[in-house]
Amino acid sequence: MGLFSKLFDTNKKNLKLYQDKVEIINSLEKEYEKLKDEEIKNKTNEFKERIKKGETLEEILPEAFALVREAAKRTIGQRHFDVQIICAIALHEGKIAEMKTGEGKTLAATMPLYLNALSDKGSHLVTVNDYLSRWQGDWMGEIYDFLGLSVGVIQQQNVSYIFDKKTADKNKETEDPEAKILELDVKNLRPCSRKEVYACDIIYGTNNEFGFDYLRDNMARNLEDIVQGELNFAIIDEVDSILIDEARTPLIISAPAEESAELYKKFANLVPNLKENEDYNVDEKAKAVTLTDSGIKKMESLLGVKNIYERGGVMLVHHLEQALKAQVLFKKDKDYVVRDGEIVIIDEFTGRMMFGRRYSEGLHQAIEAKEKVEVKRESITLATISFQNLFRLYKKLAGMTGTAATEKEEFHKIYDLDVIEIPTHKPMIRLDLSDKIYKTEEGKFKAVVREVQKRNQKGQPVLVGTISIEKSERLSDMLRREGIKHEVLNAKHHEKEAKVIARAGRKKMVTIATNMAGRGVDIILGKKVKELGGLHVLGTERHESRRIDNQLRGRAGRQGDPGSSQFYVSTDDDLMRIFGGERIKSIMTTLRVPEDQPIENRLISNSLERAQEKVEAHNFDIRKHLLEYDDVLNRQREIIYKRRKRILRGVASSEKYKNLKEEIIDAVGREIHNVVMFHTSTEDSQKWDKKEIIENMMTIFPENLKNKIEKIKGLSNRESINNYLIEIIPEAYKKREKEVGEETQRMVERALILRSIDNLWVEHLTTLDELRTGIGLRGYGQKDPLTEYKREAFNLFENLIENVYKEVVHLILKIEFNREPQKTSSLAQGSGVIMRGGDEKAAAGTFSGIGNKSDNQVPEKTKSMAKVGRNDPCPCGSGKKFKKCCGR
C-alpha cells in the first residue's frame, strides 16, 4: 500500500471512530432539550466536580458536546452538524482538522474549547487578526456565558475585553448570519485589564498577542505584572498561516541601539551605480544577491578607499550588502509600501500590510534610506521566540484550516500534529477549470478583464485573486477604464476586508483581493446567484505554495453551493519565469500565438505544480533547519525563564537551596574560593599574591571590613585563608540585614539577580545571533555548523549562568541606599528604597510589541549614572568599566 493510500486509510478509520461518538452525542439530544436553562448551566459545575473526582475529559466528552450543541441552539440559533462534531472531536484529540471553507469551523471549535476549559486551566482560540478574535469572542461568547463560563478577548495595543451578559442583553444580535458577519461594533464585550482576560475560562486572541504576552511575562519584575498563566490548550484557526507561513518570523521585543543613519543613506545613494551581471549577480530561486569583484572595486572607488574590508571592517561590507538587497531584491508595492513616511512590510502570503514589523540586521534601515524616509535606529533584542516554539509550549495543541493536506509532513515532523480531513456537510460541486496560459503578463491581464466583463454582464459575482498590492492596483485601473464597478482589498483594514468579502457573493459584485484577504470570513451567495453559477474565483497568478492557491479556490462552493475557479498564468509570472517559462514563451512565439490568446495544456499545468512542490519542499527544509538552530536557544530560554519565575516568587533558582539568601551566600563563597585558589596556585607560599586577594575581597565586602580582611597577610595556609574569608560572609550579611532591614534585603536579593539575568540574557541573545550568522563558514573546515553552534552555545550559556552570580556577588554587600519614597525605582518598587549606581531596564510590562518586532524605549538612566564616563570604573564596585557593567 502506498503512502497516500495509508494516510487515506488512517483518515477513514479515524472518521469511523468519530462517527461512533457522534451517534452517542446525538442520542443525548432529546434528553438535553428537556433541560431548563438553569439546569444546563448547573451541568457545567457538575462536570467540573466529576473531573476533580478523577473522571477524564474523554469520559465526559459526549455529554459536554451535547450540552454545547443545546446551548448554541438556544443562544445563537445554530445547531452543530455531525461533521462539525467530528471536527470538534479531532480538535480535542490535538489534531489539525482540514475543514473546507464555509463549513463552520468557528462553531465547531466551541465544543473542545468548552470541554478543555472544564479543568479550570483555560482554553485559547488563536486567530490571524484582531477583527476575527473580537468577532468570534463576541458571537460565541453567548454560548459560553449561557453555559456558565467566562470569555475574554485580547487585542493589539494592550486592549482587552471580557464578555459581559449585561452588555449583551442591551444589544440583542440579529438572526441574519450575514448581518452578523458585517457587524463591526463590539456589542457584547466590555473593556477590562489584561489580567482579567487571562483569568477567563476561554480566551480569543491573535498569535502575536499571545506571544508578546508570554515574552512580557518573562521580563516582569513583579509577580503582579504576570498576566498569562498556564498554557494549557489552544486551537489555532488558519493553522497553516500561523505555523507555516509565519514560522520563520520570530516575535521580538527590542530597544533602540546607538546607530548612525548616515551610512545607510550613503550606501543607498551609491548602490544604484552598480549594474546587474557586471557588478552583482541575482539568484531569484534563492532570493539572494552577491557582489562580484568588479562590484567591490567599483564601490571602493565610489567610497574613495583602497580596501573596503580593511578600511571599515565587517561594518562597511554589512551596510553595502544590506543596501544592495534593499535595492535589488525588495520591491515597492510588492514586498513593502511607503505609508505616512514609514516602510510597512507586505506579507508575501496574504498580501496584508504588517504594521509594526521590521526587517532585521539593518535591512529595514537600508530600505528606509532607499525610499528616502526617516531612517530609524537599529535595535537590540530583549526577548524573542518563534511561533514554532511558542505553540509547542502548550500542553495540547490543535488547529483548523481549509488547506492543510499539502503540509501534512511538516505538521507531523515539527509539531507532532496529525491532519484529519473532515468531510463536507453537503457534497462539493465547485467546478475547478484548468489553467489558461498566456505568452505575456499584459496579454493575461487583458484576458482577465474580458472574462470579468463577460461574467459581470450576466450578473455572476467574481472574486479576482492577486499576489501583490501592485498587481491588484494595476488590474483595478484596467477594470475602471472598462467601466466595471468593483471593490479592491489591499489588506489595509481587517474590518473593511470582512465587510467587502462577505458581500463578494452578491449579484454583479466584482472584488479584487490579495490571495488571502478577509481570510476566516465566509462569502455568502446573494439572491438568484446560484442560478448564475455561484461565485467565480479567478486567480491571476499561481502562488509558490499550492496551499495558497487552494485557499483562494476554496472561497467558492461553500456548503454545497455552486461555484467555479480558474487560474490565468503567463510566462512572465515569477513562478513560470524561474522554472522554465522562457522555453514555453519561445514555443508560443514560434507558433505565433497572440499575447492574449491562451493555451490550455495539462503538461504545463503539471510542470507548474511540480515547481510548486519543489518550492514547498525547499521552504520546509529552510524552516526545519532554522528550527534546529532555534531549538538550542529555546532550551536555554526555558531554563532562564524557569529560574526567573522561581526568583520572582522569592525562591532559590534550584532545589539545591532553601532560599535566595542561602544561594547568594554560597555564590559569594564560590567566588572567594576561586580568587584564593587562583592567587595561591603555586606551592611556594612566598609567591602568593595576597595583595591581589585583598583587593578582590574589597570588591565583594564593604569598606568597613578592610582591616579584618587584611589579617590574611598573617596566614600561610591556603585552606586557612579560604576558610577565614568564607567565615566573614555570614557576619557581613547579618550586618547588612540589620542596616537595611531583612525585608528590604530580600527585595534586593531578588532584584539584583533579576537585573543580572536580564542584562546578561540580552547580551547572550546578541552573541548567539552573531554566532549563528557566521557559523556556516565552519562547513568549509569539514565541521558540521549545527554541531559547532550547539557546542559553542552550550559553553556561552554556562558562562552566562556563572556570570549572573558573579555580578550579584560583587553588589549584594556594597549597594548604598537612600530613603526617597517619592522616587522608587523599578527594582525597589513600593519599598521606598533607591539603589544607587543601578541602570535598570523597564519592567517588561511597559513593553508593547506590535507585529513581530517592535522598538521599545528603555527608560533613561538615573542622574547619578549620567556623571560617570563610559570608560571609568563602574560605581557599583564590580571592577569593570562602566560601559561593560551598569552602563550597558
Side-chain angles (χ1 to χ4, degrees):
M1 188 183 288
L3 178 62
F4 178 78
S5 301
K6 284 181 180 175
L7 289 172
F8 184 72
D9 194 50
T10 303
N11 200 76
K12 272 178 67 177
K13 285 179 182 176
N14 281 322
L15 290 176
K16 175 68 175 68
L17 291 172
Y18 295 165
Q19 187 59 49
D20 292 342
K21 289 184 180 179
V22 170
E23 298 301 328
I24 299 170
I25 295 164
N26 288 342
S27 68
L28 295 168
E29 188 167 13
K30 287 186 179 178
E31 178 189 333
Y32 278 38
E33 283 175 342
K34 296 173 185 175
L35 295 175
K36 294 177 183 177
D37 289 358
E38 194 59 36
E39 289 176 314
I40 284 180
K41 191 168 282 193
N42 291 337
K43 274 281 183 184
T44 296
N45 293 327
E46 178 197 316
F47 291 154
K48 287 183 175 183
E49 286 301 315
R50 285 163 60 182
I51 289 167
K52 285 176 185 174
K53 290 176 181 176
E55 221 169 318
T56 65
L57 295 182
E58 283 65 31
E59 290 170 320
I60 289 173
L61 184 147
E63 296 169 75
F65 280 18
L67 193 73
V68 173
R69 179 158 66 184
E70 186 59 31
K73 283 157 59 180
R74 296 190 191 190
T75 53
I76 65 172
Q78 293 195 8
R79 178 185 180 277
H80 294 74
F81 300 132
D82 286 2
V83 291
Q84 288 173 313
I85 299 174
I86 289 172
C87 174
I89 297 168
L91 293 173
H92 169 69
E93 289 185 354
K95 291 182 171 66
I96 290 174
E98 184 185 79
M99 201 174 193
K100 299 302 177 190
T101 302
E103 290 292 308
K105 292 187 285 290
T106 302
L107 186 62
T110 55
M111 288 178 164
L113 287 171
Y114 169 77
L115 178 60
N116 284 272
L118 293 173
S119 58
D120 290 331
K121 291 178 182 176
S123 298
H124 294 173
L125 192 289
V126 186
T127 67
V128 291
N129 63 54
D130 270 353
Y131 170 69
L132 285 176
S133 58
R134 190 171 70 246
W135 166 59
Q136 291 184 20
D138 188 31
W139 188 20
M140 297 297 112
E142 291 261 17
I143 300 171
Y144 305 122
D145 185 76
F146 187 77
L147 291 164
L149 295 185
S150 55
V151 183
V153 177
I154 58 172
Q155 305 272 277
Q156 283 187 17
Q157 306 289 4
N158 215 26
V159 175
S160 309
Y161 299 103
I162 199 165
F163 187 94
D164 191 329
K165 189 70 174 79
K166 292 175 185 175
T167 310
D169 284 341
K170 293 175 188 174
N171 302 284
K172 286 294 180 186
E173 298 292 323
T174 172
E175 293 300 318
D176 179 11
E178 183 180 357
K180 176 69 195 175
I181 289 168
L182 301 182
E183 184 58 70
L184 304 182
D185 298 328
V186 173
K187 293 289 185 186
N188 309 322
L189 308 175
R190 65 169 172 81
C192 65
S193 71
R194 208 72 152 187
K195 198 152 192 170
E196 255 188 290
V197 168
Y198 278 110
C200 289
D201 299 302
I202 293 163
I203 304 159
Y204 286 79
T206 64
N207 48 329
N208 284 345
E209 292 310 301
F210 283 121
F212 279 123
D213 285 340
Y214 170 76
L215 292 176
R216 282 191 286 260
D217 276 2
N218 284 289
M219 295 170 67
R221 289 291 170 90
N222 298 289
L223 282 172
E224 303 79 55
D225 295 329
I226 294 177
V227 298
Q228 193 169 69
E230 193 174 355
L231 299 178
N232 176 47
F233 173 64
I235 297 173
I236 304 178
D237 193 9
E238 309 298 356
V239 65
D240 54 322
S241 176
I242 292 172
L243 292 190
I244 292 179
D245 297 342
E246 298 198 48
R248 286 155 63 180
T249 309
L251 289 165
I252 297 172
I253 290 182
S254 58
E258 294 177 16
E259 180 68 38
S260 170
E262 293 310 310
L263 272 176
Y264 289 108
K265 293 176 183 175
K266 186 172 186 177
F267 277 101
N269 291 329
L270 294 177
V271 158
N273 292 293
L274 301 178
K275 295 178 182 176
E276 188 177 353
N277 298 326
E278 183 182 317
D279 302 317
Y280 62 87
N281 295 313
V282 179
D283 184 341
E284 287 195 80
K285 285 186 185 180
K287 294 183 181 175
V289 57
T290 52
L291 276 164
T292 63
D293 289 339
S294 167
I296 292 168
K297 284 175 184 174
K298 187 178 281 189
M299 284 307 298
E300 287 171 344
S301 173
L302 291 168
L303 289 166
V305 300
K306 285 185 177 180
N307 188 328
I308 192 172
Y309 293 93
E310 285 182 7
R311 180 65 182 268
V314 176
M315 185 181 67
L316 281 185
V317 178
H318 171 74
H319 278 78
L320 170 57
E321 288 174 346
Q322 297 302 72
L324 189 58
K325 275 186 191 176
Q327 184 69 35
V328 178
L329 297 178
F330 291 80
K331 304 296 182 186
K332 185 179 176 181
D333 291 334
K334 181 183 178 185
D335 301 297
Y336 64 89
V337 293
V338 181
R339 286 284 183 276
D340 302 322
E342 289 194 1
I343 301 298
V344 183
I345 298 171
I346 299 296
D347 188 295
E348 63 175 311
F349 295 98
T350 65
R352 197 185 307 285
M353 288 196 288
M354 315 199 79
F355 294 98
R357 292 193 187 182
R358 290 178 67 81
Y359 294 115
S360 59
E361 298 176 0
L363 177 59
H364 209 93
Q365 286 81 358
I367 296 173
E368 287 169 334
K370 167 191 168 184
E371 298 294 343
K372 295 183 168 45
V373 299
E374 181 193 353
V375 179
K376 295 180 179 175
R377 286 186 294 170
E378 287 195 60
S379 54
I380 52 171
T381 299
L382 302 178
T384 179
I385 192 169
S386 66
F387 286 128
Q388 289 169 319
N389 282 317
L390 171 69
F391 288 110
R392 291 196 301 174
L393 291 171
Y394 280 86
K395 287 183 178 176
K396 184 164 67 175
L397 186 65
M400 49 189 188
T401 179
T403 47
T406 57
E407 313 294 345
K408 276 183 177 179
E409 183 186 3
E410 181 163 354
F411 282 127
H412 181 72
K413 284 187 176 178
I414 292 182
Y415 303 101
D416 197 24
L417 290 170
D418 293 325
V419 176
I420 297 290
E421 295 176 48
I422 310 296
T424 55
H425 177 56
K426 294 178 181 177
M428 169 72 73
I429 59 171
R430 184 184 70 229
L431 180 63
D432 293 329
L433 303 167
S434 57
D435 296 354
K436 285 191 174 183
I437 299 139
Y438 295 84
K439 188 166 77 173
T440 66
E441 187 174 67
E442 184 63 30
K444 176 184 72 174
F445 278 128
K446 285 178 183 176
V448 167
V449 172
R450 282 201 307 271
E451 181 69 12
V452 170
Q453 194 170 34
K454 185 181 80 175
R455 291 181 182 268
N456 182 247
Q457 284 172 353
K458 73 172 188 176
Q460 185 179 16
V462 182
L463 174 66
V464 184
T466 65
I467 67 164
S468 69
I469 289 175
E470 179 190 23
K471 300 281 173 70
S472 66
E473 289 178 346
R474 178 180 170 187
L475 194 55
S476 175
D477 287 339
M478 293 176 75
L479 289 175
R480 198 176 295 115
R481 286 198 295 270
E482 294 296 325
I484 302 170
K485 288 184 179 180
H486 61 280
E487 292 271 9
V488 182
L489 288 186
N490 279 347
K492 292 176 183 174
H493 306 290
H494 301 144
E495 288 87 350
K496 184 189 174 188
E497 283 179 27
K499 192 172 183 179
V500 174
I501 283 290
R503 288 175 175 164
R506 293 180 178 179
K507 196 173 180 180
K508 290 188 77 70
M509 281 294 293
V510 176
T511 310
I512 301 174
T514 48
N515 282 355
M516 295 207 295
R519 187 170 182 176
V521 179
D522 289 344
I523 297 176
I524 300 168
L525 298 184
K527 292 177 182 178
K528 298 184 179 178
V529 169
K530 289 183 181 180
E531 292 82 354
L532 298 170
L535 176 70
H536 179 67
V537 170
L538 199 161
T540 59
E541 195 166 333
R542 284 279 196 169
H543 197 276
E544 64 179 29
S545 169
R546 290 170 297 164
R547 183 170 41 81
I548 308 300
D549 289 345
N550 292 339
Q551 181 69 33
L552 182 62
R553 284 191 196 277
R555 308 314 294 259
R558 66 178 290 281
Q559 288 281 351
D561 285 342
S564 54
S565 72
Q566 188 166 34
F567 279 88
Y568 282 42
V569 298
S570 80
T571 57
D572 293 334
D573 294 349
D574 288 345
L575 195 67
M576 285 280 278
R577 195 182 70 255
I578 294 169
F579 292 94
E582 284 299 321
R583 184 166 52 83
I584 299 164
K585 190 172 189 176
S586 173
I587 294 168
M588 293 177 81
T589 303
T590 304
L591 297 173
R592 296 184 180 178
V593 178
E595 68 171 10
D596 60 348
Q597 181 179 321
I599 59 170
E600 294 185 34
N601 189 305
R602 193 62 209 159
L603 286 173
I604 297 174
S605 296
N606 287 342
S607 69
L608 267 178
E609 288 190 14
R610 285 194 296 273
Q612 288 175 309
E613 287 174 20
K614 284 180 185 175
V615 175
E616 287 165 2
H618 176 66
N619 289 338
F620 172 39
D621 288 340
I622 290 173
R623 288 190 290 267
K624 190 168 179 290
H625 184 66
L626 289 174
L627 184 64
E628 288 172 340
Y629 279 89
D630 198 45
D631 276 345
V632 177
L633 175 60
N634 193 50
R635 283 191 289 272
Q636 296 180 1
R637 176 172 44 238
E638 285 176 2
I639 293 169
I640 285 290
Y641 285 176
K642 187 178 178 182
R643 286 185 173 222
R644 217 181 168 283
K645 280 183 178 172
R646 285 179 64 91
I647 291 162
L648 268 178
R649 297 197 300 268
V651 181
S653 65
S654 71
E655 303 292 344
K656 182 180 175 183
Y657 306 99
K658 291 179 185 175
N659 49 46
L660 270 180
K661 174 182 173 181
E662 185 181 297
E663 187 171 3
I664 291 171
I665 288 175
D666 187 56
V668 176
R670 289 200 309 274
E671 180 66 10
I672 289 171
H673 176 78
N674 291 339
V675 170
V676 171
M677 291 301 111
F678 182 79
H679 292 292
T680 62
S681 56
T682 176
E683 291 304 314
D684 185 357
S685 60
Q686 298 301 313
K687 293 181 180 178
W688 291 354
D689 196 342
K690 292 182 182 178
K691 182 183 176 184
E692 193 63 36
I693 294 174
I694 292 169
E695 286 181 7
N696 268 278
M697 291 305 105
M698 293 317 299
T699 67
I700 297 174
F701 292 105
E703 190 67 29
N704 56 24
L705 289 176
K706 187 173 183 181
N707 291 336
K708 195 162 191 176
I709 289 167
E710 285 182 338
K711 288 182 181 179
I712 68 166
K713 292 176 181 177
L715 300 175
S716 57
N717 181 279
R718 185 185 291 120
E719 293 302 318
S720 299
I721 295 171
N722 186 63
N723 293 339
Y724 174 76
L725 291 172
I726 287 174
E727 283 170 7
I728 297 174
I729 302 170
E731 180 189 338
Y733 218 91
K734 196 170 184 181
K735 190 175 182 182
R736 173 51 52 128
E737 286 177 330
K738 198 171 182 180
E739 286 174 2
V740 302
E742 285 193 31
E743 189 178 334
T744 300
Q745 185 66 7
R746 297 293 83 80
M747 177 276 302
V748 171
E749 289 164 357
R750 187 171 67 249
L752 272 180
I753 295 182
L754 287 176
R755 188 192 77 159
S756 186
I757 286 174
D758 291 346
N759 288 351
L760 290 172
W761 179 243
V762 169
E763 273 190 11
H764 184 69
L765 289 175
T766 304
T767 305
L768 282 187
D769 192 45
E770 290 168 354
L771 173 65
R772 187 164 162 177
T773 301
I775 202 74
L777 296 172
R778 306 282 177 92
Y780 292 108
Q782 304 301 310
K783 292 181 179 178
D784 176 27
L786 180 60
T787 303
E788 289 291 296
Y789 178 76
K790 286 178 178 178
R791 182 177 59 79
E792 293 205 21
F794 176 76
N795 292 336
L796 286 166
F797 188 67
E798 282 203 320
N799 289 339
L800 181 151
I801 299 297
E802 186 181 328
N803 289 333
V804 163
Y805 290 96
K806 207 175 186 75
E807 281 198 359
V808 174
V809 162
H810 288 276
L811 288 169
I812 191 67
L813 297 173
K814 293 178 72 67
I815 289 175
E816 295 176 17
F817 298 88
N818 276 359
R819 300 269 168 189
E820 299 179 24
Q822 72 278 18
K823 294 182 181 180
T824 55
S825 74
S826 62
L827 280 183
Q829 202 169 25
S831 68
V833 176
I834 286 185
M835 303 164 65
R836 290 296 184 194
D839 167 23
E840 308 311 336
K841 289 203 166 39
T846 64
F847 292 110
S848 60
I850 301 171
N852 284 61
K853 184 171 181 177
S854 58
D855 295 332
N856 302 280
Q857 294 295 326
V858 176
E860 293 180 9
K861 297 173 175 58
T862 58
K863 290 181 181 179
S864 61
M865 301 306 281
K867 300 172 186 175
V868 184
R870 282 178 57 75
N871 290 306
D872 293 343
C874 189
C876 75
S878 66
K880 299 179 182 179
K881 288 182 179 180
F882 174 65
K883 67 181 181 183
K884 291 287 187 182
C885 188
C886 296
R888 263 194 304 265

